[in-house]
Amino acid sequence: MSHGEDQRKSQTILPGATLGVLGSGQLGRMFAISARKLGYRVHTLSPESDSPTGQVADQEITASYDDLEAVSDFATRVSVVTFEFENVPSATAEVAARFAPVRPAGQVLHVTQHRLREKTFLREQGFPVTPFRAVRSVEELQIAIRELGCPAVLKTAGWGYDGKGQAKIQSPEEAATLWAQLGTDEAILEGFVDFRLEVSVIGARGLDGAFVSFGLLENSHSNHILDVTVAPARVSPRVAAEADAIARGVLESLDVVGVLCVEMFLTRDDRLLINELAPRPHNSGHLTFDANVTSQFEQQVRAICGLPLGSTELLRPAAMANLLGDVWENGEPRWAEALRLPDVKLHLYGKSSARPGRKMGHLTAMANSADEAERIVREARCRLMG
Ligand code: AMP
């Protein structure tokens, strides 16, 4: 525990104080919007300028995460540091922790930013994970393929997200080529899970150890990027309760103060396997901004400030559809056409260039059933492109 953290633990950070967020994307933007609603001030630090978070923060500091002087200066001006991007170097969180509490702690980042450390930790703690092997050479890869069988998924150990740095191996003959293409000296080979569904649970844990979850979310991906989330997930109450218990266990065993998302596969025989953890609000929880009493972003504010957590009750079944840069392919999307559906909400992140695959915004629809919400949000997105 860092200097002074013991003392600070008992102190609530009240509205009016300044919250620091490392990273400046859409997650930070929605965090900042929620913080401002509660009367906090927000500073953000990242290498970007005019960023999604910077546009709504009180102060945007443009500096590399390796610029420890800038990080120190940033941390001295805020009451607490959190992050919306977990791939910051360990030293960044360590330096920040000298001047302000970092929540969740740097140790949570350390575990979750590296697939091998994360899966090893989860397995040791007894959580169900996809079968995996550590791979550090093409020879180790060949052995791992023999043990796990094909197909299998090869992923870089560090710095991967949205399917970047990963490849599906269909046959052992592909090992040498795919290893060379991955261009890393540390990777993880995972058995391919023939899942029925991808699901996630977003949990929040307060300074006092209180835990709440937003319930099971059902996710579909396109090109490895989240495409649509539906709440509540269309699964049995037993599966939902089990997923909740897993998430609670994970947040407790990592001693998380803040928000953490557990992404899981639901196998065809109804078993849950953890795919990965994200120690922050998550894309699958964007619909909580409109559809829950307290959003995942407000919950992050409450948790890191030592305030009581809010109700996570889902007000209406909801669905979220991501808007990637591809939606701009034929020019400016037809916003008004989508908004003609009165239960649809539009969120745009303030990014100026719409590259294919880039997350530019999302739509949320609310309805009387999960099926109906999904139908409406998909229709709204289709309307954007005419
Ligand atoms: P990740 O970056 O690990 O979240 O992977 C992105 C997506 O790739 C996941 O959401 C799945 O759709 C797919 N995927 C990743 N790992 C596996 C696996 N072991 N088996 C099957 N599909 C996977």
Side-chain angles (χ1 to χ4, degrees):
M1 196 167 288
S2 67
H3 177 68
E5 171 79 343
D6 259 338
Q7 252 181 322
R8 290 189 192 102
K9 262 208 147 163
S10 58
Q11 289 173 12
T12 307
I13 298 162
L14 294 171
T18 303
L19 315 181
V21 57
L22 291 169
S24 63
Q26 59 271 15
L27 300 174
R29 180 183 181 92
M30 290 180 267
F31 165 81
I33 290 170
S34 299
R36 285 188 149 226
K37 272 171 74 177
L38 280 161
Y40 290 97
R41 293 181 170 273
V42 178
H43 290 185
T44 173
L45 180 143
S46 83
E48 318 293 326
S49 56
D50 190 31
S51 63
T53 309
Q55 290 166 13
V56 294
D58 293 85
Q59 263 199 49
E60 177 178 57
I61 294 106
T62 303
S64 152
Y65 299 117
D66 296 318
D67 182 347
L68 299 182
E69 213 168 298
V71 171
S72 308
D73 189 52
F74 165 76
T76 56
R77 292 166 200 273
V78 299
S79 296
V80 57
V81 172
T82 189
F83 42 85
E84 63 104 54
F85 173 73
E86 67 268 35
N87 290 333
V88 300
S90 294
T92 309
E94 276 162 32
V95 164
R98 285 187 211 144
F99 305 99
V102 175
R103 294 177 183 151
Q107 177 56 22
V108 180
L109 280 189
H110 181 71
V111 173
T112 56
Q113 67 187 196
H114 189 273
R115 291 185 196 275
L116 265 177
R117 275 200 291 272
E118 178 175 285
K119 284 239 159 66
T120 306
F121 171 84
L122 291 169
R123 190 169 61 185
E124 280 170 357
Q125 297 286 316
F127 294 107
V129 290
T130 47
F132 72 93
R133 295 287 184 278
V135 171
R136 294 188 179 83
S137 66
V138 70
E139 290 76 28
E140 284 187 14
L141 176 57
Q142 274 150 351
I143 295 168
I145 292 174
R146 270 203 297 280
E147 289 175 357
L148 296 179
C150 278
V153 186
L154 181 66
K155 304 178 179 180
T156 53
W159 319 113
Y161 68 100
D162 284 348
K164 293 191 173 66
Q166 62 173 269
K168 189 169 172 184
I169 301 190
Q170 300 285 8
S171 85
E173 291 77 60
E174 295 171 348
T177 317
L178 290 175
W179 179 253
Q181 274 173 9
L182 204 63
T184 180
D185 49 14
E186 197 179 32
I188 179 172
L189 186 76
E190 294 179 6
F192 185 81
V193 181
D194 179 25
F195 53 79
R196 181 160 74 82
L197 266 187
E198 290 193 75
V199 291
S200 55
V201 176
I202 295 169
R205 194 160 168 270
L207 206 50
D208 58 357
F211 171 85
V212 294
S213 110
F214 288 88
L216 198 61
L217 302 160
E218 181 182 324
N219 303 319
S220 49
H221 292 75
S222 172
N223 298 322
H224 297 284
I225 302 176
L226 182 65
D227 185 40
V228 170
T229 297
V230 176
R234 291 159 289 194
V235 299
S236 70
R238 180 192 66 75
V239 168
E242 213 172 291
D244 228 66
I246 290 173
R248 182 186 197 121
V250 170
L251 271 87
E252 286 175 355
S253 61
L254 283 167
D255 195 18
V256 170
V257 175
V259 169
L260 181 139
C261 175
V262 185
E263 290 181 62
M264 290 175 258
F265 298 125
L266 181 64
T267 64
R268 293 191 186 275
D269 55 353
D270 264 2
R271 283 178 305 124
L272 288 160
L273 298 174
I274 300 179
N275 174 34
E276 64 176 354
L277 308 180
R280 47 162 173 78
H282 187 259
N283 197 167
S284 60
H286 287 3
L287 53 76
T288 64
F289 218 23
D290 297 306
N292 293 67
V293 172
T294 311
S295 73
Q296 59 170 350
F297 305 102
E298 180 178 338
Q299 215 71 280
Q300 184 184 15
V301 175
R302 288 172 175 240
I304 66 168
C305 291
L307 290 168
L309 303 177
S311 160
T312 54
E313 188 188 344
L314 182 68
L315 296 167
R316 290 180 79 193
M320 184 275 328
N322 265 340
L323 302 177
L324 302 183
D326 312 59
V327 175
W328 275 252
E329 202 177 273
N330 306 323
E332 189 66 17
R334 297 155 74 177
W335 304 120
E337 291 309 311
L339 294 178
R340 238 180 267 291
L341 296 162
D343 291 314
V344 167
K345 308 284 251 183
L346 171 66
H347 297 256
L348 290 170
Y349 308 145
K351 297 181 185 179
S352 51
S353 64
R355 291 189 298 275
R358 189 174 197 206
K359 290 175 180 171
M360 301 297 290
H362 68 269
L363 297 168
T364 309
M366 280 152 290
N368 293 329
S369 72
D371 289 349
E372 185 64 0
E374 181 178 6
R375 191 192 62 72
I376 296 171
V377 89
R378 287 185 185 276
E379 182 183 338
R381 189 169 59 180
C382 281
R383 287 187 181 192
L384 290 178
M385 296 185 69

